[in-house]
Short mmCIF file of all heavy atoms in Angstrom, two decimals:
data_model
loop_
_atom_site.label_atom_id
_atom_site.label_comp_id
_atom_site.label_asym_id
_atom_site.label_seq_id
_atom_site.Cartn_x
_atom_site.Cartn_y
_atom_site.Cartn_z
N TYR Z 643 4.09 3.62 -17.96
CA TYR Z 643 4.70 4.62 -18.84
C TYR Z 643 5.00 4.12 -20.25
O TYR Z 643 5.27 4.92 -21.14
CB TYR Z 643 6.00 5.16 -18.22
CG TYR Z 643 7.11 4.14 -18.24
CD1 TYR Z 643 7.99 4.08 -19.31
CD2 TYR Z 643 7.26 3.23 -17.21
CE1 TYR Z 643 9.00 3.13 -19.34
CE2 TYR Z 643 8.27 2.28 -17.23
CZ TYR Z 643 9.13 2.23 -18.30
OH TYR Z 643 10.11 1.29 -18.34
N ARG Z 644 4.97 2.83 -20.46
CA ARG Z 644 5.38 2.30 -21.76
C ARG Z 644 4.36 2.66 -22.84
O ARG Z 644 3.17 2.60 -22.59
CB ARG Z 644 5.58 0.79 -21.67
CG ARG Z 644 6.70 0.44 -20.67
CD ARG Z 644 6.83 -1.03 -20.46
NE ARG Z 644 5.61 -1.55 -19.82
CZ ARG Z 644 5.37 -2.84 -19.63
NH1 ARG Z 644 6.25 -3.73 -20.04
NH2 ARG Z 644 4.27 -3.23 -19.04
N SER Z 645 4.78 3.02 -23.98
CA SER Z 645 4.01 3.46 -25.15
C SER Z 645 3.93 4.98 -25.16
O SER Z 645 4.48 5.65 -24.30
CB SER Z 645 2.62 2.83 -25.20
OG SER Z 645 2.14 2.88 -26.53
N THR Z 646 3.21 5.50 -26.15
CA THR Z 646 3.14 6.95 -26.30
C THR Z 646 2.13 7.55 -25.32
O THR Z 646 1.22 6.86 -24.84
CB THR Z 646 2.72 7.34 -27.73
OG1 THR Z 646 1.37 6.91 -27.94
CG2 THR Z 646 3.65 6.74 -28.77
N GLU Z 647 2.27 8.84 -25.08
CA GLU Z 647 1.34 9.51 -24.17
C GLU Z 647 -0.10 9.41 -24.68
O GLU Z 647 -1.02 9.15 -23.90
CB GLU Z 647 1.75 10.97 -24.00
CG GLU Z 647 0.94 11.69 -22.96
CD GLU Z 647 1.44 13.10 -22.69
OE1 GLU Z 647 2.57 13.44 -23.07
OE2 GLU Z 647 0.67 13.87 -22.10
N LYS Z 648 -0.30 9.62 -25.99
CA LYS Z 648 -1.65 9.53 -26.56
C LYS Z 648 -2.22 8.12 -26.42
O LYS Z 648 -3.37 7.94 -26.03
CB LYS Z 648 -1.66 9.95 -28.02
CG LYS Z 648 -3.07 9.84 -28.61
CD LYS Z 648 -3.17 10.24 -30.04
CE LYS Z 648 -4.53 10.11 -30.66
NZ LYS Z 648 -5.60 9.48 -29.97
N TYR Z 649 -1.40 7.11 -26.75
CA TYR Z 649 -1.89 5.74 -26.62
C TYR Z 649 -2.27 5.44 -25.18
O TYR Z 649 -3.33 4.85 -24.90
CB TYR Z 649 -0.82 4.74 -27.10
CG TYR Z 649 -1.31 3.32 -26.99
CD1 TYR Z 649 -2.08 2.76 -28.01
CD2 TYR Z 649 -1.04 2.56 -25.86
CE1 TYR Z 649 -2.56 1.46 -27.90
CE2 TYR Z 649 -1.52 1.26 -25.75
CZ TYR Z 649 -2.28 0.71 -26.77
OH TYR Z 649 -2.77 -0.56 -26.65
N ASN Z 650 -1.43 5.85 -24.23
CA ASN Z 650 -1.71 5.59 -22.82
C ASN Z 650 -2.95 6.34 -22.35
O ASN Z 650 -3.73 5.82 -21.54
CB ASN Z 650 -0.50 5.92 -21.96
CG ASN Z 650 0.59 4.88 -22.12
OD1 ASN Z 650 0.33 3.73 -22.48
ND2 ASN Z 650 1.82 5.28 -21.86
N HIS Z 651 -3.14 7.55 -22.85
CA HIS Z 651 -4.35 8.31 -22.53
C HIS Z 651 -5.58 7.54 -22.98
O HIS Z 651 -6.54 7.37 -22.23
CB HIS Z 651 -4.28 9.69 -23.19
CG HIS Z 651 -5.40 10.59 -22.83
ND1 HIS Z 651 -6.58 10.63 -23.54
CD2 HIS Z 651 -5.54 11.49 -21.82
CE1 HIS Z 651 -7.39 11.50 -22.99
NE2 HIS Z 651 -6.79 12.04 -21.95
N ASP Z 652 -5.55 7.05 -24.22
CA ASP Z 652 -6.67 6.29 -24.77
C ASP Z 652 -6.88 4.97 -24.03
O ASP Z 652 -8.02 4.58 -23.74
CB ASP Z 652 -6.47 6.03 -26.26
CG ASP Z 652 -6.51 7.31 -27.09
OD1 ASP Z 652 -6.99 8.36 -26.59
OD2 ASP Z 652 -6.05 7.27 -28.25
N LEU Z 653 -5.79 4.27 -23.71
CA LEU Z 653 -5.89 3.01 -22.98
C LEU Z 653 -6.48 3.23 -21.59
O LEU Z 653 -7.33 2.46 -21.13
CB LEU Z 653 -4.52 2.33 -22.88
CG LEU Z 653 -4.46 1.02 -22.10
CD1 LEU Z 653 -5.40 -0.04 -22.69
CD2 LEU Z 653 -3.01 0.51 -22.06
N GLY Z 654 -6.06 4.29 -20.92
CA GLY Z 654 -6.64 4.60 -19.61
C GLY Z 654 -8.14 4.82 -19.71
O GLY Z 654 -8.90 4.37 -18.85
N MET Z 655 -8.59 5.50 -20.77
CA MET Z 655 -10.02 5.74 -20.95
C MET Z 655 -10.75 4.43 -21.26
O MET Z 655 -11.86 4.20 -20.76
CB MET Z 655 -10.27 6.77 -22.04
CG MET Z 655 -11.74 7.14 -22.20
SD MET Z 655 -12.51 7.77 -20.68
CE MET Z 655 -12.02 9.46 -20.75
N ARG Z 656 -10.15 3.59 -22.08
CA ARG Z 656 -10.78 2.29 -22.37
C ARG Z 656 -10.93 1.47 -21.09
O ARG Z 656 -11.95 0.79 -20.89
CB ARG Z 656 -9.97 1.52 -23.41
CG ARG Z 656 -10.05 2.11 -24.80
CD ARG Z 656 -9.58 1.18 -25.91
NE ARG Z 656 -8.38 0.44 -25.64
CZ ARG Z 656 -7.15 0.82 -25.97
NH1 ARG Z 656 -6.95 1.97 -26.58
NH2 ARG Z 656 -6.11 0.05 -25.71
N ARG Z 657 -9.94 1.52 -20.21
CA ARG Z 657 -10.02 0.80 -18.94
C ARG Z 657 -11.15 1.37 -18.07
O ARG Z 657 -11.93 0.61 -17.49
CB ARG Z 657 -8.68 0.87 -18.21
CG ARG Z 657 -7.64 0.01 -18.86
CD ARG Z 657 -6.27 0.17 -18.24
NE ARG Z 657 -5.35 -0.81 -18.84
CZ ARG Z 657 -4.05 -0.79 -18.66
NH1 ARG Z 657 -3.47 0.15 -17.90
NH2 ARG Z 657 -3.29 -1.70 -19.25
N ALA Z 658 -11.22 2.69 -17.99
CA ALA Z 658 -12.29 3.30 -17.20
C ALA Z 658 -13.66 2.92 -17.77
O ALA Z 658 -14.57 2.56 -17.02
CB ALA Z 658 -12.12 4.82 -17.19
N ASN Z 659 -13.80 2.98 -19.09
CA ASN Z 659 -15.07 2.62 -19.72
C ASN Z 659 -15.42 1.15 -19.51
O ASN Z 659 -16.60 0.81 -19.36
CB ASN Z 659 -15.04 2.96 -21.20
CG ASN Z 659 -15.13 4.44 -21.47
OD1 ASN Z 659 -15.64 5.21 -20.66
ND2 ASN Z 659 -14.60 4.87 -22.61
N ALA Z 660 -14.43 0.28 -19.49
CA ALA Z 660 -14.68 -1.15 -19.25
C ALA Z 660 -15.22 -1.37 -17.84
O ALA Z 660 -16.13 -2.19 -17.63
CB ALA Z 660 -13.41 -1.95 -19.47
N VAL Z 661 -14.70 -0.63 -16.88
CA VAL Z 661 -15.18 -0.75 -15.50
C VAL Z 661 -16.59 -0.17 -15.39
O VAL Z 661 -17.46 -0.77 -14.74
CB VAL Z 661 -14.20 -0.09 -14.52
CG1 VAL Z 661 -14.80 0.04 -13.13
CG2 VAL Z 661 -12.89 -0.89 -14.47
N VAL Z 662 -16.85 0.96 -16.03
CA VAL Z 662 -18.19 1.53 -16.02
C VAL Z 662 -19.18 0.55 -16.65
O VAL Z 662 -20.28 0.33 -16.12
CB VAL Z 662 -18.22 2.90 -16.75
CG1 VAL Z 662 -19.64 3.33 -17.06
CG2 VAL Z 662 -17.50 3.94 -15.92
N TYR Z 663 -18.81 -0.05 -17.76
CA TYR Z 663 -19.67 -1.04 -18.41
C TYR Z 663 -19.99 -2.19 -17.46
O TYR Z 663 -21.15 -2.59 -17.32
CB TYR Z 663 -19.00 -1.56 -19.68
CG TYR Z 663 -19.80 -2.63 -20.38
CD1 TYR Z 663 -20.86 -2.29 -21.22
CD2 TYR Z 663 -19.50 -3.98 -20.21
CE1 TYR Z 663 -21.60 -3.27 -21.86
CE2 TYR Z 663 -20.24 -4.96 -20.84
CZ TYR Z 663 -21.29 -4.60 -21.67
OH TYR Z 663 -22.03 -5.58 -22.29
N ALA Z 664 -18.98 -2.73 -16.80
CA ALA Z 664 -19.20 -3.84 -15.87
C ALA Z 664 -20.12 -3.42 -14.72
O ALA Z 664 -21.02 -4.17 -14.32
CB ALA Z 664 -17.87 -4.37 -15.33
N LEU Z 665 -19.89 -2.25 -14.18
CA LEU Z 665 -20.73 -1.77 -13.06
C LEU Z 665 -22.18 -1.60 -13.47
O LEU Z 665 -23.09 -1.93 -12.72
CB LEU Z 665 -20.18 -0.46 -12.51
CG LEU Z 665 -18.94 -0.56 -11.64
CD1 LEU Z 665 -18.34 0.82 -11.40
CD2 LEU Z 665 -19.25 -1.25 -10.32
N THR Z 666 -22.43 -1.10 -14.67
CA THR Z 666 -23.80 -0.87 -15.11
C THR Z 666 -24.46 -2.16 -15.60
O THR Z 666 -25.61 -2.41 -15.29
CB THR Z 666 -23.87 0.22 -16.20
OG1 THR Z 666 -23.04 -0.14 -17.29
CG2 THR Z 666 -23.45 1.56 -15.63
N LYS Z 667 -23.74 -2.97 -16.35
CA LYS Z 667 -24.34 -4.18 -16.93
C LYS Z 667 -24.49 -5.31 -15.92
O LYS Z 667 -25.54 -5.95 -15.85
CB LYS Z 667 -23.50 -4.66 -18.11
CG LYS Z 667 -24.07 -5.93 -18.75
CD LYS Z 667 -23.39 -6.28 -20.03
CE LYS Z 667 -23.85 -7.60 -20.60
NZ LYS Z 667 -25.16 -7.58 -21.20
N TYR Z 668 -23.47 -5.58 -15.15
CA TYR Z 668 -23.48 -6.75 -14.26
C TYR Z 668 -23.90 -6.44 -12.84
O TYR Z 668 -24.31 -7.34 -12.10
CB TYR Z 668 -22.10 -7.42 -14.25
CG TYR Z 668 -21.66 -7.84 -15.63
CD1 TYR Z 668 -20.52 -7.30 -16.20
CD2 TYR Z 668 -22.40 -8.75 -16.37
CE1 TYR Z 668 -20.12 -7.68 -17.48
CE2 TYR Z 668 -22.01 -9.12 -17.65
CZ TYR Z 668 -20.87 -8.58 -18.19
OH TYR Z 668 -20.49 -8.94 -19.46
N PHE Z 669 -23.83 -5.16 -12.43
CA PHE Z 669 -24.15 -4.81 -11.05
C PHE Z 669 -25.26 -3.76 -10.96
O PHE Z 669 -25.55 -3.27 -9.88
CB PHE Z 669 -22.88 -4.34 -10.32
CG PHE Z 669 -21.84 -5.41 -10.26
CD1 PHE Z 669 -20.81 -5.43 -11.18
CD2 PHE Z 669 -21.91 -6.42 -9.32
CE1 PHE Z 669 -19.85 -6.43 -11.15
CE2 PHE Z 669 -20.96 -7.42 -9.27
CZ PHE Z 669 -19.93 -7.43 -10.19
N SER Z 670 -25.85 -3.43 -12.09
CA SER Z 670 -27.02 -2.55 -12.17
C SER Z 670 -26.83 -1.20 -11.50
O SER Z 670 -27.74 -0.64 -10.89
CB SER Z 670 -28.25 -3.25 -11.57
OG SER Z 670 -28.50 -4.45 -12.26
N VAL Z 671 -25.63 -0.65 -11.62
CA VAL Z 671 -25.38 0.69 -11.11
C VAL Z 671 -26.00 1.70 -12.06
O VAL Z 671 -25.95 1.53 -13.28
CB VAL Z 671 -23.86 0.94 -10.96
CG1 VAL Z 671 -23.55 2.40 -10.68
CG2 VAL Z 671 -23.28 0.06 -9.86
N ASN Z 672 -26.58 2.74 -11.51
CA ASN Z 672 -27.15 3.82 -12.31
C ASN Z 672 -26.01 4.50 -13.08
O ASN Z 672 -25.09 5.05 -12.47
CB ASN Z 672 -27.84 4.82 -11.38
CG ASN Z 672 -28.44 6.00 -12.10
OD1 ASN Z 672 -28.21 6.23 -13.28
ND2 ASN Z 672 -29.23 6.77 -11.39
N PRO Z 673 -26.05 4.50 -14.41
CA PRO Z 673 -24.96 5.11 -15.18
C PRO Z 673 -24.79 6.60 -14.92
O PRO Z 673 -23.72 7.15 -15.14
CB PRO Z 673 -25.34 4.84 -16.64
CG PRO Z 673 -26.77 4.46 -16.63
CD PRO Z 673 -27.08 3.92 -15.27
N ASN Z 674 -25.84 7.27 -14.43
CA ASN Z 674 -25.73 8.70 -14.12
C ASN Z 674 -24.85 8.96 -12.90
O ASN Z 674 -24.49 10.11 -12.66
CB ASN Z 674 -27.11 9.30 -13.89
CG ASN Z 674 -27.94 9.30 -15.16
OD1 ASN Z 674 -27.42 9.48 -16.25
ND2 ASN Z 674 -29.23 9.05 -15.02
N GLN Z 675 -24.50 7.92 -12.16
CA GLN Z 675 -23.62 8.07 -11.00
C GLN Z 675 -22.15 7.94 -11.37
O GLN Z 675 -21.29 8.13 -10.52
CB GLN Z 675 -23.95 7.01 -9.93
CG GLN Z 675 -25.24 7.25 -9.20
CD GLN Z 675 -25.43 6.24 -8.10
OE1 GLN Z 675 -25.97 5.16 -8.33
NE2 GLN Z 675 -24.96 6.60 -6.92
N LEU Z 676 -21.85 7.59 -12.62
CA LEU Z 676 -20.49 7.28 -13.03
C LEU Z 676 -19.98 8.22 -14.10
O LEU Z 676 -20.69 8.57 -15.04
CB LEU Z 676 -20.44 5.84 -13.56
CG LEU Z 676 -20.91 4.76 -12.59
CD1 LEU Z 676 -21.09 3.43 -13.31
CD2 LEU Z 676 -19.95 4.63 -11.42
N VAL Z 677 -18.71 8.62 -13.96
CA VAL Z 677 -18.05 9.47 -14.95
C VAL Z 677 -16.70 8.84 -15.27
O VAL Z 677 -15.87 8.67 -14.38
CB VAL Z 677 -17.83 10.90 -14.43
CG1 VAL Z 677 -17.09 11.74 -15.46
CG2 VAL Z 677 -19.15 11.55 -14.04
N SER Z 678 -16.48 8.46 -16.53
CA SER Z 678 -15.19 7.90 -16.95
C SER Z 678 -14.20 9.03 -17.18
O SER Z 678 -14.53 10.05 -17.80
CB SER Z 678 -15.35 7.13 -18.26
OG SER Z 678 -16.16 6.02 -18.11
N GLN Z 679 -12.99 8.82 -16.69
CA GLN Z 679 -11.89 9.75 -16.92
C GLN Z 679 -10.61 8.95 -17.11
O GLN Z 679 -10.56 7.76 -16.80
CB GLN Z 679 -11.70 10.71 -15.73
CG GLN Z 679 -12.84 11.67 -15.53
CD GLN Z 679 -12.55 12.67 -14.43
OE1 GLN Z 679 -11.76 12.42 -13.54
NE2 GLN Z 679 -13.22 13.80 -14.51
N THR Z 680 -9.58 9.61 -17.60
CA THR Z 680 -8.28 8.96 -17.75
C THR Z 680 -7.19 9.89 -17.26
O THR Z 680 -7.28 11.10 -17.40
CB THR Z 680 -8.02 8.56 -19.22
OG1 THR Z 680 -6.75 7.91 -19.30
CG2 THR Z 680 -8.05 9.75 -20.15
N GLN Z 681 -6.19 9.28 -16.71
CA GLN Z 681 -4.94 9.97 -16.40
C GLN Z 681 -3.80 9.38 -17.23
O GLN Z 681 -2.68 9.86 -17.15
CB GLN Z 681 -4.62 9.87 -14.91
CG GLN Z 681 -5.45 10.76 -14.03
CD GLN Z 681 -5.13 12.23 -14.25
OE1 GLN Z 681 -3.99 12.60 -14.48
NE2 GLN Z 681 -6.15 13.07 -14.19
N GLY Z 682 -4.09 8.32 -17.99
CA GLY Z 682 -3.05 7.69 -18.79
C GLY Z 682 -1.86 7.32 -17.92
O GLY Z 682 -2.02 6.70 -16.89
N GLU Z 683 -0.69 7.74 -18.34
CA GLU Z 683 0.53 7.41 -17.60
C GLU Z 683 0.84 8.42 -16.49
O GLU Z 683 1.81 8.26 -15.75
CB GLU Z 683 1.71 7.33 -18.56
CG GLU Z 683 2.00 8.63 -19.27
CD GLU Z 683 2.97 8.49 -20.43
OE1 GLU Z 683 2.62 7.80 -21.42
OE2 GLU Z 683 4.07 9.05 -20.34
N ASN Z 684 0.01 9.45 -16.36
CA ASN Z 684 0.20 10.44 -15.30
C ASN Z 684 -0.18 9.85 -13.94
O ASN Z 684 -0.99 8.95 -13.86
CB ASN Z 684 -0.63 11.69 -15.58
CG ASN Z 684 -0.24 12.36 -16.87
OD1 ASN Z 684 0.93 12.47 -17.19
ND2 ASN Z 684 -1.24 12.78 -17.63
N GLN Z 685 0.37 10.38 -12.89
CA GLN Z 685 0.09 9.99 -11.52
C GLN Z 685 0.37 8.51 -11.24
O GLN Z 685 -0.47 7.79 -10.71
CB GLN Z 685 -1.35 10.32 -11.14
CG GLN Z 685 -1.66 11.80 -11.22
CD GLN Z 685 -3.08 12.12 -10.80
OE1 GLN Z 685 -3.88 11.24 -10.52
NE2 GLN Z 685 -3.40 13.40 -10.78
N PRO Z 686 1.56 8.03 -11.61
CA PRO Z 686 1.89 6.63 -11.30
C PRO Z 686 1.98 6.43 -9.79
O PRO Z 686 2.32 7.36 -9.04
CB PRO Z 686 3.25 6.43 -11.96
CG PRO Z 686 3.85 7.79 -12.01
CD PRO Z 686 2.69 8.74 -12.21
N LEU Z 687 1.66 5.22 -9.35
CA LEU Z 687 1.83 4.90 -7.94
C LEU Z 687 3.30 4.74 -7.59
O LEU Z 687 3.69 4.94 -6.45
CB LEU Z 687 1.08 3.61 -7.59
CG LEU Z 687 -0.43 3.69 -7.65
CD1 LEU Z 687 -1.03 2.33 -7.33
CD2 LEU Z 687 -0.95 4.75 -6.71
N THR Z 688 4.09 4.34 -8.57
CA THR Z 688 5.51 4.14 -8.35
C THR Z 688 6.27 4.52 -9.61
O THR Z 688 5.75 4.40 -10.71
CB THR Z 688 5.83 2.68 -7.95
OG1 THR Z 688 7.24 2.54 -7.77
CG2 THR Z 688 5.36 1.70 -9.00
N MET Z 689 7.49 4.95 -9.43
CA MET Z 689 8.36 5.27 -10.57
C MET Z 689 9.34 4.13 -10.82
O MET Z 689 10.16 4.21 -11.73
CB MET Z 689 9.14 6.56 -10.30
CG MET Z 689 8.24 7.79 -10.15
SD MET Z 689 7.22 8.11 -11.58
CE MET Z 689 8.43 8.79 -12.67
N LEU Z 690 9.27 3.06 -10.04
CA LEU Z 690 10.15 1.91 -10.25
C LEU Z 690 9.84 1.26 -11.59
O LEU Z 690 8.72 1.36 -12.10
CB LEU Z 690 10.00 0.91 -9.11
CG LEU Z 690 10.37 1.44 -7.71
CD1 LEU Z 690 10.03 0.41 -6.65
CD2 LEU Z 690 11.83 1.83 -7.67
N LYS Z 691 10.80 0.55 -12.14
CA LYS Z 691 10.64 -0.01 -13.49
C LYS Z 691 10.46 -1.53 -13.49
O LYS Z 691 10.36 -2.13 -14.55
CB LYS Z 691 11.88 0.32 -14.34
CG LYS Z 691 12.22 1.80 -14.38
CD LYS Z 691 11.26 2.57 -15.23
CE LYS Z 691 11.76 4.00 -15.41
NZ LYS Z 691 10.73 4.98 -15.42
N SER Z 692 10.40 -2.17 -12.32
CA SER Z 692 10.22 -3.62 -12.28
C SER Z 692 8.83 -3.99 -12.79
O SER Z 692 7.91 -3.15 -12.81
CB SER Z 692 10.41 -4.14 -10.86
OG SER Z 692 9.30 -3.78 -10.06
N MET Z 693 8.64 -5.23 -13.18
CA MET Z 693 7.34 -5.67 -13.68
C MET Z 693 6.26 -5.53 -12.62
O MET Z 693 5.13 -5.14 -12.92
CB MET Z 693 7.43 -7.11 -14.20
CG MET Z 693 8.31 -7.24 -15.45
SD MET Z 693 7.94 -6.04 -16.76
CE MET Z 693 6.43 -6.67 -17.40
N ASN Z 694 6.58 -5.83 -11.36
CA ASN Z 694 5.59 -5.66 -10.28
C ASN Z 694 5.22 -4.20 -10.10
O ASN Z 694 4.06 -3.88 -9.86
CB ASN Z 694 6.12 -6.24 -8.97
CG ASN Z 694 6.11 -7.75 -8.97
OD1 ASN Z 694 5.37 -8.37 -9.73
ND2 ASN Z 694 6.92 -8.34 -8.14
N ALA Z 695 6.20 -3.32 -10.19
CA ALA Z 695 5.92 -1.89 -10.05
C ALA Z 695 5.06 -1.40 -11.20
O ALA Z 695 4.11 -0.63 -11.00
CB ALA Z 695 7.23 -1.12 -9.97
N LEU Z 696 5.37 -1.83 -12.40
CA LEU Z 696 4.56 -1.42 -13.56
C LEU Z 696 3.12 -1.89 -13.41
O LEU Z 696 2.18 -1.18 -13.78
CB LEU Z 696 5.17 -1.96 -14.85
CG LEU Z 696 6.52 -1.35 -15.26
CD1 LEU Z 696 7.07 -2.07 -16.48
CD2 LEU Z 696 6.41 0.14 -15.51
N ALA Z 697 2.93 -3.08 -12.87
CA ALA Z 697 1.58 -3.63 -12.67
C ALA Z 697 0.76 -2.74 -11.75
O ALA Z 697 -0.46 -2.61 -11.92
CB ALA Z 697 1.66 -5.05 -12.13
N ALA Z 698 1.40 -2.13 -10.76
CA ALA Z 698 0.69 -1.25 -9.83
C ALA Z 698 0.14 -0.02 -10.53
O ALA Z 698 -0.86 0.55 -10.10
CB ALA Z 698 1.60 -0.84 -8.69
N ASN Z 699 0.76 0.39 -11.61
CA ASN Z 699 0.32 1.59 -12.33
C ASN Z 699 -0.79 1.32 -13.33
O ASN Z 699 -1.46 2.25 -13.77
CB ASN Z 699 1.52 2.24 -13.03
CG ASN Z 699 2.50 2.81 -12.04
OD1 ASN Z 699 2.14 3.21 -10.94
ND2 ASN Z 699 3.77 2.82 -12.41
N ARG Z 700 -1.02 0.07 -13.68
CA ARG Z 700 -2.06 -0.30 -14.65
C ARG Z 700 -3.36 -0.58 -13.88
O ARG Z 700 -3.64 -1.71 -13.51
CB ARG Z 700 -1.64 -1.52 -15.45
CG ARG Z 700 -0.39 -1.31 -16.29
CD ARG Z 700 -0.10 -2.47 -17.20
NE ARG Z 700 -0.03 -3.74 -16.52
CZ ARG Z 700 1.10 -4.33 -16.12
NH1 ARG Z 700 2.27 -3.76 -16.33
NH2 ARG Z 700 1.06 -5.50 -15.53
N ARG Z 701 -4.15 0.47 -13.68
CA ARG Z 701 -5.27 0.33 -12.77
C ARG Z 701 -6.42 1.26 -13.13
O ARG Z 701 -6.26 2.18 -13.92
CB ARG Z 701 -4.82 0.65 -11.34
CG ARG Z 701 -4.51 2.14 -11.15
CD ARG Z 701 -3.64 2.43 -9.97
NE ARG Z 701 -3.50 3.85 -9.70
CZ ARG Z 701 -2.65 4.67 -10.29
NH1 ARG Z 701 -1.85 4.22 -11.24
NH2 ARG Z 701 -2.59 5.93 -9.96
N VAL Z 702 -7.55 1.00 -12.48
CA VAL Z 702 -8.65 1.94 -12.42
C VAL Z 702 -8.91 2.19 -10.95
O VAL Z 702 -8.99 1.26 -10.15
CB VAL Z 702 -9.92 1.40 -13.11
CG1 VAL Z 702 -11.15 2.19 -12.70
CG2 VAL Z 702 -9.76 1.43 -14.62
N GLN Z 703 -8.98 3.46 -10.59
CA GLN Z 703 -9.31 3.87 -9.23
C GLN Z 703 -10.59 4.67 -9.26
O GLN Z 703 -11.00 5.17 -10.31
CB GLN Z 703 -8.19 4.74 -8.65
CG GLN Z 703 -7.00 3.97 -8.21
CD GLN Z 703 -5.97 4.87 -7.57
OE1 GLN Z 703 -4.84 4.85 -7.98
NE2 GLN Z 703 -6.35 5.65 -6.57
N PHE Z 704 -11.19 4.79 -8.11
CA PHE Z 704 -12.45 5.50 -7.97
C PHE Z 704 -12.25 6.70 -7.05
O PHE Z 704 -11.58 6.59 -6.04
CB PHE Z 704 -13.51 4.58 -7.37
CG PHE Z 704 -13.69 3.31 -8.15
CD1 PHE Z 704 -13.06 2.15 -7.77
CD2 PHE Z 704 -14.50 3.29 -9.27
CE1 PHE Z 704 -13.21 0.98 -8.50
CE2 PHE Z 704 -14.66 2.13 -10.00
CZ PHE Z 704 -14.03 0.97 -9.61
N GLU Z 705 -12.85 7.81 -7.42
CA GLU Z 705 -12.80 9.02 -6.61
C GLU Z 705 -14.21 9.60 -6.54
O GLU Z 705 -14.95 9.56 -7.53
CB GLU Z 705 -11.86 10.08 -7.21
CG GLU Z 705 -10.44 9.64 -7.36
CD GLU Z 705 -9.67 9.57 -6.06
OE1 GLU Z 705 -10.14 10.13 -5.06
OE2 GLU Z 705 -8.60 8.95 -6.05
N THR Z 706 -14.56 10.14 -5.40
CA THR Z 706 -15.84 10.84 -5.29
C THR Z 706 -15.66 12.25 -5.82
O THR Z 706 -14.55 12.71 -6.02
CB THR Z 706 -16.33 10.87 -3.83
OG1 THR Z 706 -15.33 11.47 -3.02
CG2 THR Z 706 -16.64 9.47 -3.33
N SER Z 707 -16.76 12.93 -6.05
CA SER Z 707 -16.69 14.25 -6.67
C SER Z 707 -15.85 15.24 -5.88
O SER Z 707 -15.25 16.14 -6.44
CB SER Z 707 -18.08 14.81 -6.91
OG SER Z 707 -18.79 14.91 -5.69
N SER Z 708 -15.74 15.06 -4.56
CA SER Z 708 -15.00 16.01 -3.75
C SER Z 708 -13.50 15.87 -3.89
O SER Z 708 -12.76 16.80 -3.61
CB SER Z 708 -15.39 15.86 -2.28
OG SER Z 708 -15.03 14.57 -1.82
#
Side-chain angles (χ1 to χ4, degrees):
Y643 71 91
R644 298 174 295 173
S645 201
T646 66
E647 186 174 344
K648 179 180 179 352
Y649 181 84
N650 286 336
H651 185 271
D652 293 344
L653 178 58
M655 185 57 83
R656 290 196 317 267
R657 288 174 174 169
N659 287 335
V661 169
V662 166
Y663 178 81
L665 285 168
T666 56
K667 179 171 174 74
Y668 302 118
F669 299 97
S670 301
V671 170
N672 179 349
N674 294 324
Q675 288 185 273
L676 303 168
V677 177
S678 295
Q679 293 185 336
T680 181
Q681 284 292 323
E683 62 192 64
N684 298 319
Q685 299 181 356
L687 292 178
T688 179
M689 297 301 284
L690 298 174
K691 306 287 189 217
S692 72
M693 293 311 286
N694 286 338
L696 292 174
N699 292 331
R700 297 188 306 263
R701 70 200 188 277
V702 164
Q703 283 183 234
F704 305 97
E705 300 286 344
T706 57
S707 59
S708 63

